Amino acid sequence: ETVIGNAIENCINTAFAKRKFFQGLMGPCGRMFYGDQDGLPGLIIDKYCNVMVVQINTAGLDRYEHVVISCIEKLCSLPIKFLDNSNLRKLESIPIRERAAVNVTTLEVLDNDVHIRIPMTDVQKAGFYFDHSHNRIKLLHLLKDLQLSDLSVLDLFCYAGAWGFNLIKQKAAKKVHFVDQGDFLVTLTETGQCNSIDPRSFEFTRGDVFKFLESNKEGYDLIICDPPAFAKSNNKVSQAIEGYKKLFHECLRRVNKNGIVVAASCTHGISLEEFSNLISVEANKLGRSITILDLGTQRMDHPVSCLSGSAFYLKYICYHVN
């Protein structure tokens, strides 16, 4: 027991030390522990401005929850909240535990220069998606280099609005239309207020993104499409590819001439090459010329040691569309 406890503590200490080295690039919020890439499969630790959020998704590690808590408390003074993934815990036959209530009603996030507030009632499985933070910065730098500003923007699968609010705050966007199936109006409104953003500079539509794209006739200067994973297993990849084809066909149809499309995928079973190829095919069908302006992957707090490994999942491609 002591040997295993010491090994767990050593893994967590090492991971936190690595994030300290990255802090100048990460900022104050980020993923502090990333499962098997940091040596403990099933353990996720995310640091927010006001709380540490922990997920334990394997039965073996669940027995040592007290060690995980003790170690985090030594390294950080923030309260600890558990975000149990019921599906993963069910697979491991781990019960959902009753724990002492932590008085945290909102996740406070700093993403680049944007303060984001996510009520716990709106929190998705990962809390907040830090993995694209650097891609958001890359996009801002690219738009500045291209001398593009005051763009009309469509932010699809927006969740907490990180892409759109980064653009508004840096004056790259004049107006952002957020779309998501979840009810994130409160989250978006509170985040807008937090950043002193004019409420007239954004709007939110709650609904199915595919149906929205089919019915909406408006053109946009910039479309950001960052959907959730379309396939959880390899046997669903062909189905996911069909979903991406349909989705990006509609995005390429709706973007204005000389516009920008940001295409993102977190589906592990589809490679960057396959992802870019399917978008190219859809552009050809529409007679639109596309040029890749930038490529990206996940931020370093989601560490990857090998591009063929299971930890590498995030793809970001920025296109110019004629």
Side-chain angles (χ1 to χ4, degrees):
E1 291 283 321
T2 302
V3 172
I4 296 174
N6 288 342
I8 292 171
E9 188 168 354
N10 182 60
C11 282
I12 295 174
N13 287 339
T14 301
F16 274 58
K18 183 186 289 187
R19 274 41 173 210
K20 188 174 182 181
F21 179 81
F22 294 150
Q23 191 164 5
L25 296 170
M26 280 175 51
C29 302
R31 179 146 292 179
M32 305 301 290
F33 201 99
Y34 183 44
D36 55 358
Q37 290 299 293
D38 283 310
L40 294 173
L43 178 61
I44 302 294
I45 304 173
D46 288 326
K47 181 177 181 290
Y48 296 91
C49 296
N50 62 327
V51 66
M52 304 292 288
V53 174
V54 178
Q55 298 180 54
I56 294 177
N57 298 318
T58 55
L61 192 60
D62 188 67
R63 293 175 53 199
Y64 295 91
E65 182 182 296
H66 62 287
V67 176
V68 173
I69 293 171
S70 175
C71 192
I72 296 173
E73 287 176 341
K74 290 175 186 175
L75 294 166
C76 184
S77 59
L78 292 173
I80 299 170
K81 185 171 182 64
F82 281 83
L83 189 63
D84 287 333
N85 185 315
S86 57
N87 290 331
L88 290 177
R89 289 178 74 87
K90 185 177 180 180
L91 285 173
E92 291 274 326
S93 299
I94 316 170
I96 302 295
R97 294 191 184 182
E98 290 292 330
R99 300 184 179 94
V102 178
N103 188 26
V104 175
T105 58
T106 304
L107 290 183
E108 305 280 351
V109 187
L110 183 63
D111 183 67
N112 304 324
D113 291 326
V114 178
H115 294 267
I116 296 174
R117 295 170 54 87
I118 309 175
M120 291 305 298
T121 52
D122 286 354
V123 164
Q124 293 186 350
K125 65 175 185 178
F128 178 79
Y129 301 97
F130 296 107
D131 47 10
H132 267 305
S133 289
H134 275 184
N135 294 328
R136 288 190 271 272
I137 292 176
K138 280 154 61 73
L139 177 61
L140 288 168
H141 288 169
L142 178 65
L143 295 176
K144 184 177 180 182
D145 290 343
L146 293 171
Q147 299 182 344
L148 296 175
S149 60
D150 292 331
L151 304 175
S152 61
V153 177
L154 180 62
D155 186 350
L156 302 171
F157 305 97
C158 67
Y159 185 36
W163 286 98
F165 283 127
N166 269 275
L167 291 164
I168 293 172
K169 195 155 187 184
Q170 296 302 319
K171 301 196 175 3
K174 181 179 182 181
K175 179 75 177 285
V176 174
H177 192 154
F178 294 109
V179 183
D180 201 293
Q181 193 164 342
D183 187 7
F184 299 122
L185 180 59
V186 172
T187 292
L188 296 168
T189 301
E190 287 195 11
T191 295
Q193 292 171 349
C194 248
N195 292 277
S196 301
I197 289 172
D198 187 338
R200 294 170 297 181
S201 66
F202 66 92
E203 64 177 305
F204 173 63
T205 295
R206 183 184 184 186
D208 179 272
V209 168
F210 288 92
K211 291 180 180 177
F212 173 85
L213 287 170
E214 287 172 2
S215 62
N216 181 41
K217 305 301 180 186
E218 190 173 343
Y220 298 88
D221 302 320
L222 167 60
I223 296 179
I224 297 158
C225 188
D226 180 16
F230 279 3
K232 301 296 185 183
S233 60
N234 287 337
N235 62 357
K236 299 286 188 182
V237 167
S238 59
Q239 182 179 328
I241 288 173
E242 292 307 309
Y244 282 125
K245 285 179 180 178
K246 182 179 179 181
L247 180 62
F248 288 105
H249 183 94
E250 292 299 323
C251 289
L252 291 165
R253 192 161 65 95
R254 290 281 168 252
V255 71
N256 293 334
K257 187 176 176 60
N258 274 325
I260 304 289
V261 169
V262 169
S265 166
C266 58
T267 301
H268 172 259
I270 299 176
S271 70
L272 180 62
E273 184 177 1
E274 289 171 319
F275 188 53
S276 67
N277 284 345
L278 69 87
I279 293 171
S280 179
V281 168
E282 297 311 309
N284 287 336
K285 288 179 183 176
L286 291 164
R288 306 211 69 171
S289 171
I290 60 174
T291 302
I292 294 176
L293 300 176
D294 195 15
L295 300 170
T297 184
Q298 60 223 59
R299 198 171 71 167
M300 77 295 296
D301 55 346
H302 294 64
V304 173
S305 56
C306 175
L307 296 184
S308 62
S310 61
F312 174 59
Y313 66 95
L314 200 71
K315 281 79 66 176
Y316 158 86
I317 311 178
C318 184
Y319 292 97
H320 171 259
V321 184
N322 252 335

